[in-house]
């Protein structure tokens, strides 16, 4: 890991040299400690270390021995991390592009579903009343063709044929509205015939 320090003009004086020695002695252990505090964010860890060492340097407390200085540096770094966390909590959340895209795609999917249901509803209304009744009983209520025949008071075979032709007409109505293409709807027609 390559650490950079302040400009060379500052490192010429005694304070700069002392800061460089301090940096070389304390930056490694301090970086490891701060990196854990900030959840592995290397850029934040480097910023905290730089601010910690600057505060030490500005207090002119560089004469402390390593045994006394290290706990003080760790405490200052910890306080900086806590202060940064509190600042982020106090500010409104920043807009994250990935969240925005995810929300937009979820909204787009929901809008697409609503639009498709409106189009399917219009296509359903275009069917004759007997076809709508059969589809309603078999698909929306979930009855078998036998149960639908009993509920509608018509023969079982009539329910089957009306369901077949109703699905066929519904597919054509959806094709006219651009929801289903002819190539995509062919398998649907064959599965509808089996109903």
């Amino acid at each position: 890991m390559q650490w950079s320090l302040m400009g060379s003009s500052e490192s010429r004086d005694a304070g700069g040299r002392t800061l460089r020695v301090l940096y070389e002695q304390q930056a490694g252990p301090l970086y490891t400690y701060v990196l854990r505090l900030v959840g592995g964010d290397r850029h934040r860890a480097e910023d905290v270390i730089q601010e910690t060492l600057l505060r030490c340097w500005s207090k002119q407390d560089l004469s402390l021995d390593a045994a006394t200085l290290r706990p003080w540096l760790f405490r200052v770094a910890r306080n900086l991390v806590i202060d940064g966390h509190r600042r982020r909590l106090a500010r409104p959340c920043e807009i994250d592009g990935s969240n925005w895209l995810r929300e937009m795609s979820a909204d787009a999917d929901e809008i697409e579903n609503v639009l498709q249901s409106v189009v399917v509803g219009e296509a359903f209304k275009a069917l004759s009343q007997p076809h709508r009744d059969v589809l309603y009983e078999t698909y929306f209520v979930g009855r078998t063709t036998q149960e639908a025949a009993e509920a509608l008071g018509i023969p079982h075979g009539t329910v089957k044929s009306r369901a077949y032709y109703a699905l066929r007409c519904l597919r054509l109505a959806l094709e006219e509205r651009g929801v289903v293409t002819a190539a995509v709807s062919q398998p649907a027609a064959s599965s509808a015939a089996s109903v």
Side-chain angles (χ1 to χ4, degrees), residues 172-188:
L172 292 173
L174 290 173
E175 284 176 8
E176 289 172 0
R177 289 166 175 78
V179 175
V180 180
T181 61
V184 173
S185 64
Q186 277 305 8

Side-chain angles (χ1 to χ4, degrees), residues 107-183:
D107 289 345
D109 288 344
E110 186 176 326
I111 290 169
E112 183 68 26
N113 289 339
V114 168
L115 289 175
Q116 282 185 355
S117 68
V118 167
V119 172
V120 169
E122 289 175 7
F124 186 74
K125 289 177 186 175
L127 299 176
S128 68
Q129 187 62 42
H131 286 155
R132 281 192 302 225
D133 291 342
V134 167
L135 286 183
Y136 178 77
E137 292 295 328
T138 55
Y139 286 95
F140 294 110
V141 177
R143 294 184 172 151
T144 64
T145 53
Q146 184 63 42
E147 293 169 342
E150 292 170 8
L152 294 171
I154 57 177
H156 181 246
T158 304
V159 171
K160 286 179 150 183
S161 67
R162 282 185 187 171
Y164 171 77
Y165 287 110
L167 287 174
R168 195 167 158 193
C169 291
L170 185 61
R171 185 192 79 225
L172 292 173
L174 290 173
E175 284 176 8
E176 289 172 0
R177 289 166 175 78
V179 175
V180 180
T181 61

